[in-house]
Amino acid sequence: MSWRRARLPIALLAWYRRQCIVFLCVAAASAQTAIGAQPVMPEFAIENPAPGIYVHYGQQAEMTPANGGDVANLGFVVGARCVAVIDTGGTFAVGRALRQAIRRVTSVPVCYVINTHAHPDHVFGNAAFVDDHPEFIGHARLADALRSRGPNYLNALRRDLGDVAQQSEIILPTRSVKSTEALDLGGRALGLRSWPTAHTDTDLTVFDQESKTLWLGDLLFVGHVPVLDGNLRGFLAALEELDKVRADLAIPGHGRALSWPGALAAEQRYLSRLLSDVAAAIKAKRTLAETLALVPGEGGQWLLFDQFHRRNVTAAYAELEWDD
């Protein structure tokens, strides 16, 4: 009998049709789930080192899909009226996890989101707080920095983290700090200070008057090798000035919080040696390639040294080579 004239039994044909419908429905649902899926971070661990002060310690690592961009220290300060968030992490998912952590601690609204500088691991969680309608606050140069460098940061984030970067976007500040400003959280005052170019050209510190806690962003690295993306002499000058602040606790951008004073000593030593070694190499007419080989730094004492020390030497060389 020819296949063209063959006929499937009616019951078998009906079964076939049902299986096709089920297959198409499952395929459509799977596609929709894949398109709409959002990365989920584990529940954030939050520490409470002082009354009203809450810190999440990011991993000491570069951003990867495995850590979801959770590599910077983030936190919040709780007042009677509202909450101030200090940095939001490297992705929307990190920011959302931080927001969920806040809601486990308090129901008062988030009124301020403060960015300590423009680097992606500190700002791309901002989008998770948009629905809270806070003031987004940063250095007077932060908006321009995010407009000029933000698209490249975002492209790199999407390239390196893939789906983990979903919903991450650039949120510009709505309020800028040119010098110093004060925020009232309700019975709790925060002092904000913008700095000349140091770690970056957008560095901002936050000082909680009640607990004498100083949030330094990446003006302080603990364990993680310091990173130079601004001006080496400016960085050292900022640290010298910061050392005068009468604080009890220092919260760095990376690494564990430390008691104050003394928290800056290791970083000051590293940066001072970087300055003197690179300046000496330039004075000796060394090329950049020779200088990279001649400035060993303190490799055994810092995490991520291999990833960042040579960059620091290069940045320092570019800054110092035009000195008289």
Side-chain angles (χ1 to χ4, degrees), residues 155-176:
N155 288 337
L157 186 78
R158 290 167 175 164
R159 179 197 67 211
D160 296 340
L161 270 62
D163 290 343
V164 177
Q166 283 183 38
Q167 295 183 267
S168 304
E169 58 181 293
I170 300 164
I171 304 296
L172 296 176
T174 58
R175 179 171 171 180
S176 295

Side-chain angles (χ1 to χ4, degrees), residues 94-317:
V94 174
R96 180 175 55 196
L98 177 61
R99 188 176 183 276
Q100 290 167 348
I102 294 169
R103 287 294 152 251
R104 292 195 298 271
V105 170
T106 181
S107 61
V108 301
V110 173
C111 55
Y112 304 111
V113 172
I114 304 164
N115 290 130
T116 61
H117 61 293
H119 281 164
D121 52 333
H122 295 259
V123 303
F124 277 135
N126 284 7
F129 292 90
V130 168
D131 289 344
D132 293 302
H133 306 290
E135 286 192 87
F136 289 92
I137 303 177
H139 192 286
R141 289 193 288 263
L142 180 63
D144 285 343
L146 290 176
R147 287 191 190 99
S148 62
R149 302 194 287 270
N152 289 334
Y153 288 158
L154 191 55
N155 288 337
L157 186 78
R158 290 167 175 164
R159 179 197 67 211
D160 296 340
L161 270 62
D163 290 343
V164 177
Q166 283 183 38
Q167 295 183 267
S168 304
E169 58 181 293
I170 300 164
I171 304 296
L172 296 176
T174 58
R175 179 171 171 180
S176 295
V177 179
K178 293 182 179 179
S179 179
T180 60
E181 287 198 24
L183 303 178
D184 179 13
L185 307 184
R188 189 155 207 147
L190 298 182
L192 310 185
R193 179 174 178 178
S194 61
W195 292 85
T197 302
H199 164 64
T200 70
D201 59 355
T202 58
D203 296 314
L204 182 79
T205 53
V206 182
F207 183 63
D208 175 59
Q209 303 284 353
E210 183 172 327
S211 67
K212 298 191 182 305
T213 298
L214 180 61
W215 301 74
L216 293 105
D218 284 5
L219 285 173
L220 176 59
F221 289 80
V222 175
H224 184 308
V225 69
V227 176
L228 177 61
D229 192 29
N231 182 276
L232 179 54
R233 285 201 173 99
F235 206 155
L236 285 163
L239 296 181
E240 184 176 355
E241 187 67 21
L242 280 163
D243 210 21
K244 301 173 185 176
V245 177
R246 294 185 177 181
D248 289 337
L249 183 69
I251 299 178
H254 300 267
R256 301 289 301 183
L258 295 175
S259 59
W260 193 270
L264 301 175
E267 181 172 81
Q268 286 175 311
R269 184 191 66 243
Y270 170 84
L271 293 173
S272 295
R273 181 176 177 183
L274 179 66
L275 176 64
S276 60
D277 286 355
V278 173
I282 291 172
K283 186 175 181 180
K285 308 297 184 184
R286 301 291 188 178
T287 65
L288 174 58
E290 291 170 331
T291 302
L292 287 166
L294 289 169
V295 180
E298 303 172 338
Q301 300 180 43
W302 298 98
L303 298 171
L304 299 172
F305 183 86
D306 291 341
Q307 289 89 332
F308 291 103
H309 176 67
R310 289 173 63 86
R311 298 186 202 179
N312 291 341
V313 173
T314 301
Y317 192 97

